[in-house]
């Protein structure tokens, strides 16, 4: 097992090397993340303005600010470029080269995206968090909640990988993956609770959002971070739901990938 | 002078028609692109709806006023999107892959030549349409009745807003002549333009200054909407000046970039 996994390590290190050549990219990602965070943070802070104590959804001003800011940072961790690269390689036919290698393409993609996630966390997530901490008051989490959040964030990264892989695989069907990616981005951001916490959605919409896998990407980790869960059983339930979706989506990815390869035609020799 | 003008107009008309033919050829792509756009605006509107479920006013703006602002912000954006999105290609890869020379060898202005490669991006039509519907709906809910002067100025406000969007895009795309690819910078600027869909009053003062005087997106939607909704002119007088200034700056950077490219070309 370890020998088989060791095969994928070079993909992770080469991914890191190519990333570090475009260091200015991180500054830009940080700027866009900060801009995105600012829009939602200021919009909702205007709503909570003048409500002392707990406002809508039982959030205090500091809590809603923390929620929206960390949500934006999680989104940066989730943008692993897998959708983009898989789609491009599929419709250009480059994926054929990968098929002759003794590795699994989806697993290879997973290892290649790990350094992207790590670098984004350190070079984008932390600076943006620091910047906002200077401007707006944030709420400090309890240490136990921080631990649960870390665990949940790891699962959310896996979820994001699966969602992005599935999006990239639409390259088998259409060349306009730009359109598909844009739809995915908007829909996932909304139902993950990145723009509007699920606690603030009306009943039926909240029920739908809770049932979808995207909840585990943003709202799940943040519920744990802010301690908005119901005892240990509640926290375990949230993590279990995430885990179940990770398992389900991984199986779906594997099955669809196999089916798609069966139909793949690549021109040229 | 007039002969060059008519020549350019006829070319633009013809090439726009060629662009329309793509709609038929790549029908699914078009439907996907337009659909993607509708989903995006739909979600933006839903967020505004959910915000106003909690409170009657945000930053002194009512629900329908914010909808009006959101809709209005789409009009200049759509107009700009319709004609100048080829600039993304410049920022993304034309310099990087050394393909830019082909715009220099044609017997028309290089900027026209670049834009004419794809003169008509139909996704922008969706933005214009949704924007108009939102503005009309919010306007009628607010019982808005514009004065004759406001009616006369409205198209000019949209046009100036579109030119501001184009200027910012041209400026950042032209940076690629120095930095090889400026796609991330362009993306960052377009992300910042999202601020213009919400009332400026809710933002931190630093951010307000930035959006008014440095990346002047406030003039694309906020300033015109305040004028149309309340009749207060406020910063309106600055609008033509800012538009002219931004356009002049962007064109200067573009020209310098083109000159530089010629020097290093192969």
């Amino acid at each position: 097992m370890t020998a088989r996994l060791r095969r994928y390590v070079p993909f992770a290190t080469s991914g890191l090397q190519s990333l570090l050549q475009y260091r200015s990219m991180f500054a830009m990602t940080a700027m866009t993340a900060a801009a995105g965070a600012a829009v939602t943070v200021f919009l909702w802070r205007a709503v909570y303005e003048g409500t002392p104590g707990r406002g809508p959804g039982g959030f205090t001003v500091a809590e809603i600010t923390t929620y929206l800011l960390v949500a934006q940072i999680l989104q940066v961790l989730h943008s692993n470029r897998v959708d983009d690269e898989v789609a491009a390689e599929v419709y250009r036919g480059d994926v054929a080269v990968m098929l002759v290698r003794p590795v699994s393409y989806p697993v290879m993609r997973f290892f290649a995206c790990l350094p992207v996630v790590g670098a984004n966390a350190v070079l984008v997530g932390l600076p943006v968090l620091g910047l906002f901490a200077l401007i707006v008051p944030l709420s400090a989490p309890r240490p136990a909640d921080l631990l649960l959040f870390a665990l949940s964030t790891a699962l959310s990264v896996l979820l994001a990988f699966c969602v992005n892989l599935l999006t990239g695989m639409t390259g088998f069907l259409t060349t306009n993956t730009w359109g598909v990616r844009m739809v995915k981005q908007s829909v996932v951001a909304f139902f993950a609770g990145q723009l509007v916490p699920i606690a603030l959605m009306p009943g039926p919409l909240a029920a739908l959002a809770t049932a979808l896998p995207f909840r585990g990407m943003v709202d799940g980790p943040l519920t744990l971070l802010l301690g908005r869960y119901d005892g240990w059983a509640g926290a375990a339930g949230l993590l279990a739901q995430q885990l179940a979706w990770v398992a389900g989506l991984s199986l779906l990815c594997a099955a669809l990938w196999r089916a798609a390869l069966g139909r793949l035609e690549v021109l040229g020799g | 002078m007039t002969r060059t003008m008519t020549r350019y107009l006829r070319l633009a008309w013809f090439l726009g028609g060629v662009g329309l033919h793509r709609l038929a050829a790549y029908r699914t792509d078009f439907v996907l692109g337009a659909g993607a756009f509708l989903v995006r605006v739909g979600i933006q509107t839903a967020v505004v709806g959910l915000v106003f479920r909690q409170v009657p006013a945000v930053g002194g703006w009512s629900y329908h006023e914010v909808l009006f602002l959101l809709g209005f912000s789409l009009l200049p954006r759509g107009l700009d999107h319709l004609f100048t999105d080829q600039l993304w290609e410049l920022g993304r890869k034309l310099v990087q892959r050394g393909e830019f020379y082909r715009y220099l060898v044609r017997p028309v202005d290089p900027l026209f030549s670049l834009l004419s490669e794809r003169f008509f991006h139909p996704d922008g039509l969706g933005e214009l349409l949704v924007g108009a519907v939102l503005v009309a709906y919010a306007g009628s809910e607010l019982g808005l009745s514009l004065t004759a002067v406001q009616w006369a100025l409205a198209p000019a406000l949209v046009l100036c807003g579109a030119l501001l969007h184009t200027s910012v895009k041209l400026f950042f795309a032209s940076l690629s002549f120095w930095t090889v690819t400026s796609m991330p910078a362009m993306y960052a600027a377009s992300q910042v333009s999202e601020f213009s869909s919400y009332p400026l009053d809710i933002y931190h003062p630093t951010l307000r200054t930035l959006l008014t005087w440095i990346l002047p997106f406030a003039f694309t939607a906020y300033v015109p909407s305040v004028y149309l909704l309340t009749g207060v002119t406020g910063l309106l007088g600055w609008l033509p000046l800012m538009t002219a200034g931004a356009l002049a700056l962007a064109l200067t950077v573009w020209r310098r970039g083109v000159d530089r490219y010629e020097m290093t070309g192969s």
Side-chain angles (χ1 to χ4, degrees):
Chain A
M1 188 64 191
T2 36
R4 279 187 62 188
L5 281 184
R6 201 168 297 147
R7 238 181 247 172
Y8 294 99
V9 173
F11 291 106
T13 48
S14 81
L16 187 64
Q17 278 161 0
S18 65
L19 261 185
L20 291 178
Q21 284 183 344
Y22 294 97
R23 262 161 298 188
S24 64
M25 204 78 129
F26 291 107
M28 290 306 165
T29 316
M31 260 190 64
T32 48
V39 172
T40 52
V41 164
F42 286 117
L43 188 61
W44 282 102
R45 277 178 68 86
V47 171
Y48 281 76
E49 197 171 73
T51 48
R54 302 202 170 264
F59 290 102
T60 62
V61 186
E63 279 173 353
I64 192 84
T65 312
T66 311
Y67 182 105
L68 295 165
L69 178 61
V70 177
Q72 191 71 35
I73 291 169
L74 283 174
Q75 195 257 324
V76 173
L77 294 194
H78 296 157
S79 49
N80 46 28
R81 287 196 251 145
V82 168
D83 48 353
D84 199 357
E85 287 174 13
V86 172
E89 290 196 342
V90 167
Y91 70 66
R92 279 201 311 251
D94 292 354
V95 72
V97 181
M98 296 296 170
L99 297 180
V100 298
R101 295 186 184 160
V103 290
S104 148
Y105 181 79
V107 178
M108 181 286 267
R109 271 280 155 231
F110 177 70
F111 275 83
C113 91
L114 283 181
V116 182
V117 174
N120 273 339
V122 176
L123 298 174
V124 177
L126 292 180
V128 171
L129 190 65
L131 172 73
F132 275 81
L134 291 177
I135 314 174
V136 285
L138 301 172
S139 70
R142 293 178 300 187
D145 291 341
L146 205 57
L147 202 68
L148 285 171
F149 170 74
L151 207 61
S152 180
T153 300
L155 288 173
S156 84
V157 167
L158 291 174
L159 272 176
F161 172 77
C162 291
V163 171
N164 281 355
L165 182 63
L166 287 171
T167 312
M169 280 163 61
T170 55
F172 283 109
L173 302 170
T174 171
T175 50
N176 189 356
T177 49
W178 173 84
V180 176
R181 288 208 315 271
M182 214 164 93
V183 170
K184 182 221 69 177
Q185 207 179 8
S186 313
V187 169
V188 168
F190 185 76
F191 283 107
Q194 186 196 322
L195 308 167
V196 180
I198 291 178
L200 294 171
M201 294 181 180
L205 200 59
L208 177 64
T210 313
L212 290 172
F214 313 123
R215 192 233 171 148
M217 290 167 67
V218 173
D219 197 78
L222 281 163
T223 305
L224 295 172
L225 182 72
L226 297 174
R228 295 167 55 86
Y229 54 87
D230 219 1
W232 288 111
L238 270 173
L239 289 172
Q241 196 193 14
Q242 273 184 302
L243 202 59
W245 272 118
V246 170
L249 288 183
S250 308
L251 286 176
L252 183 66
C253 283
L256 283 180
W257 182 257
R258 210 156 275 185
L261 284 190
R263 301 183 15 171
L264 180 69
E265 288 173 34
V266 176
L267 295 178
Chain B
M1 182 67 194
T2 27
R3 271 199 30 213
T4 10
M5 274 299 271
T6 31
R7 180 164 149 258
Y8 273 90
L9 279 175
R10 277 179 51 195
L11 256 175
W13 180 256
F14 172 73
L15 291 166
V18 173
L20 275 175
H21 278 283
R22 292 190 195 216
L23 290 194
Y26 301 95
R27 211 169 294 154
T28 346
D29 279 8
F30 167 60
V31 170
L32 265 171
F37 174 74
L38 279 181
V39 170
R40 230 171 79 106
V41 179
I43 282 176
Q44 243 185 331
T45 319
V47 170
V48 171
L50 289 174
V51 164
F52 280 94
R53 260 184 86 235
Q54 314 295 339
V55 279
V58 169
W61 288 63
S62 74
Y63 174 56
H64 288 108
E65 283 170 344
V66 174
L67 271 194
F68 184 92
L69 176 62
L70 177 63
F72 192 92
S73 75
L74 294 175
L75 297 176
R77 197 187 300 231
L79 195 61
D80 162 63
H81 194 156
L82 207 52
F83 297 109
T84 69
D85 256 23
Q86 199 62 23
L87 289 173
W88 282 94
E89 294 294 299
L90 170 65
R92 192 164 71 92
K93 59 164 202 205
L94 289 176
V95 176
Q96 192 180 28
R97 301 197 187 156
E99 291 169 9
F100 184 74
Y101 73 90
R102 69 170 183 253
Y103 305 100
L104 298 173
V105 297
R106 290 179 192 164
V108 288
D109 182 75
L111 186 56
F112 181 88
S113 173
L114 170 68
L115 295 180
S116 69
E117 192 140 289
R118 180 131 193 227
F119 235 142
F120 196 77
H121 292 252
D123 304 0
L125 277 182
E127 266 167 313
L128 282 173
L129 194 71
V130 179
V133 168
L134 278 179
V135 165
Y137 167 75
S140 79
E141 287 290 313
L142 288 166
L144 193 67
S145 62
L146 298 183
T147 64
V149 182
Q150 283 175 321
W151 274 115
L153 276 181
L157 296 177
V158 174
L159 186 66
C160 279
L163 286 174
L164 275 171
H165 275 293
T166 309
S167 306
V168 173
K169 200 155 58 169
L170 180 61
F171 176 85
F172 283 104
S174 302
L175 290 185
S176 66
F177 288 115
W178 288 268
T179 61
V180 179
T181 172
S182 61
M183 178 82 171
M186 289 183 79
Y187 186 72
S190 91
Q191 198 72 12
V192 171
S193 81
E194 301 272 307
F195 282 107
S196 65
S197 314
Y198 300 101
L200 214 59
D201 310 85
I202 64 173
Y203 301 127
H204 196 272
T206 331
L207 200 54
R208 247 181 282 168
T209 314
L210 171 87
L211 289 169
T212 314
W213 305 114
I214 298 172
L215 282 174
F217 289 119
F219 290 99
T220 63
Y222 175 79
V223 172
S225 294
V226 167
Y227 171 64
L228 293 176
L229 287 171
T230 65
V232 176
T233 40
L235 289 170
L236 198 69
W238 285 96
L239 178 58
L241 290 175
M242 288 307 278
T243 313
L247 204 56
L249 178 67
L251 283 172
T252 310
V253 174
W254 154 264
R255 275 207 201 100
R256 294 222 162 170
V258 171
D259 287 347
R260 205 185 120 91
Y261 186 82
E262 276 182 314
M263 287 189 292
T264 53
S266 49

